[in-house]
Amino acid sequence: MSRVKRSVAMTAVLDGLSRQHLLRSDRQEDICFCLWRGSKGLTRNTALLERLILPRHGERNVHGNASFEPSFLERAMFEAAGSGAGLALMHSHPLGRGCQKMSNDDIAAEQGNAGAVFGATGLPLIGLTLAGDGAWSARFWERTTPRTYPETWCGSVRVVGDGLRVTFIDRLAPIPRPTEQQVRTVSVWGHESQANLVRLRAGVVGAGSVGGMIAESLARTGFEDITLIDFDVVKKHNLDRLNYATPRDIGRVKVELLAEFLRERATASTFRVEPVVAAVYEEKGYRAALDCDLLFACVDRPWGRYVLNLIAYSHLIPVIDGGIRARSNRLGKLAGADWRAHTATFGRPCLQCLGQYDPGHVQMEREGMLDDPKYIEGLPGDHPLKSRENVFAFSMSCASFQTLQMLALVLAPLDQPNPGSQLYHFVGGYMEEPKFGACHPECLFPSFVALGDSCGISATGVRPQNAGDT
Ligand SMILES: [Zn+2]
Ligand SMILES: [Zn+2]
């Protein structure tokens, strides 16, 4: 169960536009509205900010404290209701730093209008305060009984752009106490970065060799909240690659075993790991992924990758993906082994544009064809769906690359959160020049940004029989 039950997320573009409007050069407070879309996780509801509604002349008054005219609220409610979105009210505390408390005027403006907004949109009013240092605080005003709209504070507000910047409400997600085990880690990047890093809820999708190693590195680094998503059990032929399994564990559910392994190795003083026995394309696995602030894609199948790709853009949860491909020649000797790592997120190319899955194969997997041994047998020997060659060392390196992508995204050392799309060749021992860029112009995923559950795509479904057996 996540301790963050409500959250808000936005793109860095929307964050920038809000700052431009709300943080005035004359240092007075200002105000505006914003449309939002829902993203419903298993235990966390997130409001994804979609579009600002800025005041027109005469719709608001700036006088130290900002206030708005009823006509501004009416116009904003009309726009929200017309597009099926929720409504958020934003204002600034230009002299404030970090999380902001609410004044009586703030409470009156938000709680006092929560009923009208709920009546117009069917959704709770969200209130947001922007401090002068760019920190966001947010709350949901949810109807509990008729005419009662108490506030529920958001544990986190994340801004997703080239980097991932999250403001936590310290009351709900307390600054972690440094532990003795973490001294060497914290000395590398300092307490503040550590607190921003380890309070993120990280999801590892796929508990194979790469997922197991990433999860271990998260637990040792001090992450406090980890979600593990996989439906498979440990088999004998996994034992050459699973860092967390022994011969005694054959037949055990991977995520449950991995969760036990992590609990013994976690360095955080409070550590929660949530094993979710499901595929990410099943409703339960999908909703569990939506509880996370960032996700690692450690799946090798197209459907899971497709679902994660959708989550990265429509739900604003960065997905750090990777993959290993090994080839042998006709003599059965190793001819090539490559692995890659990249982060699918707002402003960067998506997994489909990076060629990480073939959309045609997604439908085939949904129909169970990819789990039909006869179908797989009929494919040419070098077909990506057939290639299962892998060794521990390749997984280790790929897991490391993916973890480093995440660290760059969050820590942004020297303001460099984006190492680009990376590809390493074992044969020859070199890394290609990293690639930067965006989705192809005809790609649909950028058009789903921040639409959440209203993106109109139903990506989940029923797990095919025999899934994972090939
Ligand atoms: Zn205020
Ligand atoms: Zn794309």
Side-chain angles (χ1 to χ4, degrees):
M1 170 82 87
S2 172
R3 60 195 161 161
V4 171
K5 301 207 170 38
R6 300 286 180 277
S7 74
V8 165
M10 71 188 88
T11 65
V13 170
L14 194 130
D15 172 65
L17 292 170
S18 315
R19 287 192 206 207
Q20 244 173 48
H21 171 70
L22 294 173
L23 299 179
R24 304 162 57 97
S25 52
D26 64 8
R27 315 258 279 179
Q28 298 200 75
E29 294 185 8
D30 210 333
I31 203 159
C32 68
F33 289 99
C34 186
L35 302 184
W36 65 269
R37 304 280 175 176
S39 167
K40 199 169 168 41
L42 270 190
T43 62
R44 180 181 83 175
N45 286 347
T46 301
L48 305 164
L49 303 187
E50 190 191 359
R51 181 165 61 80
L52 292 180
I53 303 176
L54 297 176
R56 292 178 187 152
H57 185 71
E59 282 186 330
R60 60 92 159 73
N61 312 293
V62 178
H63 41 71
N65 297 333
S67 64
F68 57 86
E69 294 295 322
S71 62
F72 187 22
L73 174 64
E74 271 161 37
R75 179 168 71 86
M77 287 198 298
F78 187 77
E79 279 201 42
S83 55
L87 193 64
L89 174 60
M90 298 173 152
H91 79 287
S92 53
H93 289 173
L95 303 177
R97 293 285 173 272
C99 300
Q100 295 297 298
K101 293 202 176 100
M102 300 182 78
S103 69
N104 290 336
D105 286 347
D106 291 345
I107 295 171
E110 295 185 10
Q111 193 168 35
N113 290 305
V117 170
F118 183 77
T121 63
L123 293 164
L125 172 70
I126 312 274
L128 290 121
T129 315
L130 175 63
D133 62 352
W136 287 100
S137 339
R139 52 262 152 204
F140 283 50
W141 296 93
E142 281 164 310
R143 190 168 93 132
T144 47
T145 59
R147 285 190 287 281
T148 317
Y149 295 86
E151 90 264 39
T152 308
W153 282 90
C154 294
S156 64
V157 178
R158 68 179 183 278
V159 177
V160 180
D162 222 21
L164 172 64
R165 191 168 58 82
V166 178
T167 316
F168 295 94
I169 301 274
D170 297 341
R171 222 164 2 91
L172 299 175
I175 294 174
R177 267 184 296 122
T179 66
E180 220 176 305
Q181 299 96 302
Q182 294 169 7
V183 168
R184 298 293 166 91
T185 297
V186 176
S187 67
V188 174
W189 47 60
H191 284 295
E192 195 186 334
S193 295
Q194 177 76 356
N196 290 336
L197 181 68
V198 301
R199 284 187 286 178
L200 296 170
R201 186 169 177 134
V204 178
V205 181
S209 52
V210 173
M213 286 187 246
I214 289 175
E216 183 180 352
S217 82
L218 296 174
R220 290 193 188 272
T221 301
F223 275 73
E224 299 183 316
D225 260 299
I226 298 176
T227 299
L228 306 170
I229 303 170
D230 196 318
F231 62 86
D232 216 353
V233 296
V234 176
K235 296 177 196 113
K236 201 168 189 172
H237 67 257
N238 299 141
L239 292 180
D240 61 349
R241 288 190 322 281
L242 290 186
N243 59 327
Y244 59 86
T246 69
R248 285 192 309 279
D249 303 317
I250 292 171
R252 289 202 57 194
V253 174
K254 284 179 177 173
V255 286
E256 289 171 357
L257 181 63
L258 178 54
E260 284 171 20
F261 179 85
L262 297 183
R263 279 187 204 106
E264 289 178 356
R265 284 155 186 83
T267 61
S269 50
T270 54
F271 179 70
R272 284 162 298 267
V273 53
E274 187 79 29
V276 179
V277 188
V280 73
Y281 54 72
E282 292 177 288
E283 196 59 20
K284 185 179 162 196
Y286 180 71
R287 297 290 161 194
L290 298 184
D291 283 347
C292 298
D293 298 313
L294 57 87
L295 291 162
F296 288 93
C298 308
V299 291
D300 54 4
R301 285 302 191 82
W303 191 2
R305 278 218 173 94
Y306 162 72
V307 165
L308 287 165
N309 200 37
L310 184 68
I311 289 176
Y313 297 85
S314 62
H315 294 268
L316 295 179
I317 302 171
V319 171
I320 297 114
D321 177 71
I324 300 166
R325 185 86 193 276
R327 294 180 304 282
S328 39
N329 62 18
R330 277 177 298 132
L331 305 171
K333 304 263 194 206
L334 178 64
D338 313 316
W339 45 95
R340 50 181 80 237
H342 38 249
T343 304
T345 186
F346 173 71
R348 300 194 202 177
C350 80
L351 301 183
Q352 193 170 311
C353 289
L354 287 168
Q356 282 300 92
Y357 68 88
D358 178 338
H361 291 156
V362 175
Q363 190 51 33
M364 287 166 64
E365 186 177 354
R366 293 177 87 141
E367 289 165 12
M369 284 171 75
L370 304 194
D371 298 297
D372 176 353
K374 281 207 200 89
Y375 172 78
I376 297 289
E377 214 174 291
L379 293 172
D382 60 348
H383 196 280
L385 291 173
K386 209 171 187 174
S387 95
R388 317 291 279 192
E389 303 90 348
N390 196 1
V391 295
F392 194 82
F394 299 170
S395 297
M396 217 169 18
S397 181
C398 187
S400 175
F401 278 135
Q402 285 185 246
T403 311
L404 295 176
Q405 285 268 338
M406 179 277 292
L407 289 176
L409 181 80
V410 178
L411 301 173
L414 301 178
D415 280 328
Q416 294 177 60
N418 185 3
S421 173
Q422 299 172 300
L423 174 59
Y424 179 78
H425 298 280
F426 167 65
V427 178
Y430 67 100
M431 185 89 139
E432 284 191 9
E433 196 66 25
K435 291 198 172 71
F436 299 88
C439 279
H440 299 313
E442 67 275 20
C443 177
L444 284 176
F445 286 93
S447 66
F448 299 140
V449 163
L451 292 184
D453 296 329
S454 11
C455 74
I457 306 272
S458 88
T460 55
V462 180
R463 188 196 328 156
Q465 251 181 342
N466 308 325
D469 278 354
T470 52

